[in-house]
Amino acid sequence: MLQKTIIFLFSIVSWAQNDTLSFLKPADTLHLPRKNAVILSQTTVATSALVGLNRLWYKDYPQSNFHFVNDYQEWLQIDKLGHFYSCYHLAKINSDALGWAGVSRKNRLLYGASSGLLFMTIVEVFDGYSAQWGFSSTDMVANTLGTGLYVSQEMMWKEQRITPKFSFHTTSLASARPTALGSSFAQQLLKDYNGQTYWLSFNVYAFTKNKTFPKWFNLAIGYGGENMLYAHKTEIGDTRYRQLYVSFDVDLTKIRTKSHTLKTIFSVLNTIKFPTPTVEFSSLNGCKMHFIYF
């Protein structure tokens, strides 16, 4: 069975490597049918997502007049990093899709990046009319910074040297408060901030131009938090603490291949931090080594 699996995987890789004229190959010049397809697809997906959120999520909670909320102190700011991460990758995905259609760099940045920020702004407005939440100015700051990181790198370097990434591991805290932190893996992935780590992954070669380093080699700095049962510190015995991580990483988009299929797969997977040996620093544990951290 193992041999068959290995043969199958090698066959997939071999097929993808030879897929040099793939449908996924970006157009050299403006390709109007592709451009129209991208705009239609993005508009349809965004509209469907907003309608779905409104009907399946917000309708179950009481509505109110539009109001603001200051939630900066919640969850040790890990949820803010989630907004930063999401807006960065929305900007990149939308921009890359327009690049596939041959849209100019200027217009990719102008329309592709801004469409992701517009989507997240509309979601924030929905929060503003919900009695349970509210429009968060700090969420909008995080959204804007995430979009800005993508756009500024394209303008300065015409490449992404710094990539926000995400990793997650399950924690025992979720079982203590499953309604808030999630009762299934999928729910915990979104709700359990104790298991979430957000990273900034720096491509060493892009900054140093030192050929000693492979072009895919990255250094990553991560941030997380532990012991959070509630958004705020509500109990005297609450021992929540912050964590800082330093680790190696892999920039999958820098792995050389002629296959546009593999390039697309690598681009999607590059949103996730590669599991590697990691050093953790925290007020509770001091300096701690993880053989493999995710």
Side-chain angles (χ1 to χ4, degrees), residues 44-198:
T44 301
V45 170
T47 302
S48 300
L50 291 172
V51 171
L53 274 173
N54 192 44
R55 291 184 177 179
L56 301 177
W57 181 259
Y58 290 102
K59 75 170 187 178
D60 294 329
Y61 295 94
Q63 297 295 295
S64 68
N65 293 328
F66 184 84
H67 63 286
F68 290 86
V69 64
N70 182 6
D71 59 354
Y72 176 72
Q73 297 296 333
E74 294 183 357
W75 304 112
L76 295 178
Q77 295 81 48
I78 292 177
D79 60 321
K80 305 307 173 192
L81 293 181
H83 282 266
F84 175 88
Y85 168 89
S86 298
C87 271
Y88 171 91
H89 286 290
L90 278 175
K92 185 177 187 304
I93 290 169
N94 291 339
S95 182
D96 286 349
L98 290 172
W100 170 76
V103 176
S104 67
R105 179 183 296 273
K106 177 182 177 181
N107 287 333
R108 291 204 312 266
L109 295 180
L110 181 61
Y111 299 108
S114 62
S115 60
L117 182 59
L118 175 61
F119 174 83
M120 294 298 287
T121 301
I122 295 173
V123 173
E124 204 62 46
V125 170
F126 283 176
D127 280 352
Y129 283 102
S130 175
Q132 181 119 352
W133 296 282
F135 187 99
S136 170
S137 299
T138 51
D139 282 355
M140 282 305 304
V141 170
N143 293 341
T144 305
L145 289 175
T147 302
L149 178 63
Y150 175 77
V151 173
S152 60
Q153 291 187 85
E154 288 295 317
M155 294 178 65
M156 287 190 300
W157 304 315
K158 296 183 179 180
E159 65 176 348
Q160 297 297 301
R161 299 183 180 183
I162 307 170
T163 304
K165 294 194 176 186
F166 174 79
S167 64
F168 177 79
H169 58 271
T170 57
T171 72
S172 58
L173 289 170
S175 60
R177 197 167 176 240
T179 54
L181 303 182
S183 57
S184 66
F185 178 81
Q187 290 179 349
Q188 291 169 22
L189 184 66
L190 297 173
K191 294 182 176 183
D192 188 0
Y193 294 110
N194 300 281
Q196 296 179 6
T197 305
Y198 288 95

Side-chain angles (χ1 to χ4, degrees), residues 277-290:
T278 300
V279 180
E280 172 192 339
F281 302 93
S282 71
S283 58
L284 183 67
N285 297 317
C287 180
K288 180 180 179 181
M289 182 68 187
H290 300 269

